[in-house]
Amino acid sequence: MKKPVAILISGNGSNMECLIKSMDETHPGYPFLVISNNKDAPGLEKAKKLNVPVKYIPNKDFEAKCIDHFRKNKPAVICLAGFMKVLSSEFIKNFDGKIINIHPSLLPKYPGLKTHERVISAKEKLSGCTVHIVNEKIDQGPILGQKKVKVELSDTVKSLQKKILSQEHRLYPEVLKSFLSTKNQFTDV
Ligand code: GAR
């Protein structure tokens, strides 16, 4: 039985698109719902074009409505893909160990926002991206996978962001597949 995968987005949805496209016939999961807290998120149109059901839920009642949607169809995993709202610890506890997130730095370094700016100001030689399990501490949950990117002296925020995003597009599908394939406490629903 294929496992239902929910994806939460706030913006462009390029990671979401890669996740959806990775879920082919042989994949252990299928994208059952994409939810955005931003009605203008370009990712919503992208998901519709890929025939995945979408919902827009405003921030005000986001978590309660999300839980309603997930009550009928329990997700095996909830992928945060450029989802920019901080989730409450009650919500996280509800789906303990089943929410995963992609972050554009080599965690535990540079949690939070403006990672590329901070990496460049600190003259780091390496940066990258991380997929981790979401817990109550922002960007500090157990790490599931990382990819590294060299930071060149000539890099700008834009060029670094572009290099890292292309590694995110490889990393997130790899981690999702192994997360769903591994028979562990997180994937048994
Ligand atoms: C990605 O770089 C992702 O790592 C980052 O937002 C971008 C979303 O791009 N997420 C965060 O910063 C979360 N704190 P996308 O919408 O094209 O996938």
Side-chain angles (χ1 to χ4, degrees), residues 96-109:
D96 198 20
K98 289 184 181 174
I99 309 177
I100 64 177
N101 178 46
I102 189 151
H103 182 78
S105 79
L106 291 176
L107 293 173
K109 288 183 119 180

PDB file of all heavy atoms in Angstrom, residues 96-109:
ATOM      1  N   ASP A  96       4.028  13.499  15.661  1.00  0.00           N
ATOM      2  CA  ASP A  96       5.375  13.327  16.203  1.00  0.00           C
ATOM      3  C   ASP A  96       6.280  12.473  15.312  1.00  0.00           C
ATOM      4  O   ASP A  96       5.961  11.313  15.023  1.00  0.00           O
ATOM      5  CB  ASP A  96       5.258  12.680  17.593  1.00  0.00           C
ATOM      6  CG  ASP A  96       6.529  12.884  18.378  1.00  0.00           C
ATOM      7  OD1 ASP A  96       7.298  13.796  18.028  1.00  0.00           O
ATOM      8  OD2 ASP A  96       6.756  12.116  19.337  1.00  0.00           O
ATOM      9  N   GLY A  97       7.384  13.045  14.873  1.00  0.00           N
ATOM     10  CA  GLY A  97       8.351  12.305  14.050  1.00  0.00           C
ATOM     11  C   GLY A  97       7.952  12.162  12.594  1.00  0.00           C
ATOM     12  O   GLY A  97       8.666  11.528  11.818  1.00  0.00           O
ATOM     13  N   LYS A  98       6.795  12.738  12.211  1.00  0.00           N
ATOM     14  CA  LYS A  98       6.316  12.557  10.833  1.00  0.00           C
ATOM     15  C   LYS A  98       6.379  13.844  10.017  1.00  0.00           C
ATOM     16  O   LYS A  98       5.908  13.874   8.882  1.00  0.00           O
ATOM     17  CB  LYS A  98       4.870  12.064  10.838  1.00  0.00           C
ATOM     18  CG  LYS A  98       4.729  10.641  11.315  1.00  0.00           C
ATOM     19  CD  LYS A  98       3.295  10.210  11.195  1.00  0.00           C
ATOM     20  CE  LYS A  98       3.146   8.791  11.702  1.00  0.00           C
ATOM     21  NZ  LYS A  98       1.749   8.391  11.741  1.00  0.00           N
ATOM     22  N   ILE A  99       6.886  14.931  10.629  1.00  0.00           N
ATOM     23  CA  ILE A  99       7.015  16.172   9.862  1.00  0.00           C
ATOM     24  C   ILE A  99       8.494  16.345   9.533  1.00  0.00           C
ATOM     25  O   ILE A  99       9.347  16.282  10.428  1.00  0.00           O
ATOM     26  CB  ILE A  99       6.505  17.399  10.666  1.00  0.00           C
ATOM     27  CG1 ILE A  99       5.099  17.144  11.217  1.00  0.00           C
ATOM     28  CG2 ILE A  99       6.544  18.653   9.810  1.00  0.00           C
ATOM     29  CD1 ILE A  99       4.551  18.287  12.078  1.00  0.00           C
ATOM     30  N   ILE A 100       8.792  16.528   8.235  1.00  0.00           N
ATOM     31  CA  ILE A 100      10.187  16.753   7.858  1.00  0.00           C
ATOM     32  C   ILE A 100      10.298  18.080   7.105  1.00  0.00           C
ATOM     33  O   ILE A 100       9.326  18.560   6.520  1.00  0.00           O
ATOM     34  CB  ILE A 100      10.794  15.570   7.063  1.00  0.00           C
ATOM     35  CG1 ILE A 100      10.121  15.346   5.714  1.00  0.00           C
ATOM     36  CG2 ILE A 100      10.739  14.284   7.887  1.00  0.00           C
ATOM     37  CD1 ILE A 100      10.770  14.212   4.884  1.00  0.00           C
ATOM     38  N   ASN A 101      11.489  18.678   7.168  1.00  0.00           N
ATOM     39  CA  ASN A 101      11.675  20.019   6.612  1.00  0.00           C
ATOM     40  C   ASN A 101      12.983  20.088   5.854  1.00  0.00           C
ATOM     41  O   ASN A 101      13.940  19.406   6.211  1.00  0.00           O
ATOM     42  CB  ASN A 101      11.713  21.028   7.772  1.00  0.00           C
ATOM     43  CG  ASN A 101      11.954  22.459   7.307  1.00  0.00           C
ATOM     44  OD1 ASN A 101      11.325  22.921   6.341  1.00  0.00           O
ATOM     45  ND2 ASN A 101      12.875  23.164   7.958  1.00  0.00           N
ATOM     46  N   ILE A 102      13.017  20.926   4.819  1.00  0.00           N
ATOM     47  CA  ILE A 102      14.299  21.198   4.150  1.00  0.00           C
ATOM     48  C   ILE A 102      14.733  22.612   4.493  1.00  0.00           C
ATOM     49  O   ILE A 102      13.922  23.552   4.505  1.00  0.00           O
ATOM     50  CB  ILE A 102      14.229  20.977   2.618  1.00  0.00           C
ATOM     51  CG1 ILE A 102      15.653  21.064   2.048  1.00  0.00           C
ATOM     52  CG2 ILE A 102      13.280  21.936   1.913  1.00  0.00           C
ATOM     53  CD1 ILE A 102      15.867  20.239   0.804  1.00  0.00           C
ATOM     54  N   HIS A 103      16.024  22.733   4.816  1.00  0.00           N
ATOM     55  CA  HIS A 103      16.569  24.027   5.236  1.00  0.00           C
ATOM     56  C   HIS A 103      17.834  24.315   4.421  1.00  0.00           C
ATOM     57  O   HIS A 103      18.668  23.423   4.248  1.00  0.00           O
ATOM     58  CB  HIS A 103      16.890  23.979   6.739  1.00  0.00           C
ATOM     59  CG  HIS A 103      17.412  25.283   7.240  1.00  0.00           C
ATOM     60  ND1 HIS A 103      16.590  26.356   7.508  1.00  0.00           N
ATOM     61  CD2 HIS A 103      18.681  25.703   7.485  1.00  0.00           C
ATOM     62  CE1 HIS A 103      17.328  27.383   7.909  1.00  0.00           C
ATOM     63  NE2 HIS A 103      18.602  27.002   7.908  1.00  0.00           N
ATOM     64  N   PRO A 104      17.992  25.571   3.965  1.00  0.00           N
ATOM     65  CA  PRO A 104      19.113  25.862   3.064  1.00  0.00           C
ATOM     66  C   PRO A 104      20.429  26.187   3.778  1.00  0.00           C
ATOM     67  O   PRO A 104      21.053  27.233   3.516  1.00  0.00           O
ATOM     68  CB  PRO A 104      18.595  27.060   2.253  1.00  0.00           C
ATOM     69  CG  PRO A 104      17.690  27.768   3.185  1.00  0.00           C
ATOM     70  CD  PRO A 104      17.080  26.726   4.087  1.00  0.00           C
ATOM     71  N   SER A 105      20.859  25.334   4.694  1.00  0.00           N
ATOM     72  CA  SER A 105      22.201  25.475   5.289  1.00  0.00           C
ATOM     73  C   SER A 105      22.622  24.113   5.814  1.00  0.00           C
ATOM     74  O   SER A 105      21.807  23.185   5.873  1.00  0.00           O
ATOM     75  CB  SER A 105      22.217  26.486   6.442  1.00  0.00           C
ATOM     76  OG  SER A 105      21.710  25.892   7.626  1.00  0.00           O
ATOM     77  N   LEU A 106      23.875  24.012   6.207  1.00  0.00           N
ATOM     78  CA  LEU A 106      24.358  22.778   6.812  1.00  0.00           C
ATOM     79  C   LEU A 106      24.078  22.854   8.313  1.00  0.00           C
ATOM     80  O   LEU A 106      24.930  23.256   9.105  1.00  0.00           O
ATOM     81  CB  LEU A 106      25.863  22.610   6.549  1.00  0.00           C
ATOM     82  CG  LEU A 106      26.267  22.329   5.096  1.00  0.00           C
ATOM     83  CD1 LEU A 106      27.788  22.276   4.954  1.00  0.00           C
ATOM     84  CD2 LEU A 106      25.636  21.028   4.595  1.00  0.00           C
ATOM     85  N   LEU A 107      22.861  22.482   8.693  1.00  0.00           N
ATOM     86  CA  LEU A 107      22.504  22.505  10.121  1.00  0.00           C
ATOM     87  C   LEU A 107      23.468  21.583  10.872  1.00  0.00           C
ATOM     88  O   LEU A 107      23.955  20.606  10.293  1.00  0.00           O
ATOM     89  CB  LEU A 107      21.053  22.042  10.305  1.00  0.00           C
ATOM     90  CG  LEU A 107      19.991  22.996   9.724  1.00  0.00           C
ATOM     91  CD1 LEU A 107      18.605  22.346   9.802  1.00  0.00           C
ATOM     92  CD2 LEU A 107      19.980  24.338  10.442  1.00  0.00           C
ATOM     93  N   PRO A 108      23.838  21.860  12.111  1.00  0.00           N
ATOM     94  CA  PRO A 108      23.234  22.855  12.992  1.00  0.00           C
ATOM     95  C   PRO A 108      23.688  24.298  12.756  1.00  0.00           C
ATOM     96  O   PRO A 108      23.278  25.198  13.477  1.00  0.00           O
ATOM     97  CB  PRO A 108      23.666  22.364  14.380  1.00  0.00           C
ATOM     98  CG  PRO A 108      24.959  21.667  14.160  1.00  0.00           C
ATOM     99  CD  PRO A 108      24.850  21.030  12.812  1.00  0.00           C
ATOM    100  N   LYS A 109      24.532  24.501  11.720  1.00  0.00           N
ATOM    101  CA  LYS A 109      24.938  25.881  11.451  1.00  0.00           C
ATOM    102  C   LYS A 109      23.821  26.628  10.725  1.00  0.00           C
ATOM    103  O   LYS A 109      23.145  26.048   9.869  1.00  0.00           O
ATOM    104  CB  LYS A 109      26.190  25.900  10.582  1.00  0.00           C
ATOM    105  CG  LYS A 109      27.452  25.456  11.321  1.00  0.00           C
ATOM    106  CD  LYS A 109      28.652  25.558  10.442  1.00  0.00           C
ATOM    107  CE  LYS A 109      29.638  26.536  11.040  1.00  0.00           C
ATOM    108  NZ  LYS A 109      30.842  26.676  10.219  1.00  0.00           N
TER     109      LYS A 109
END
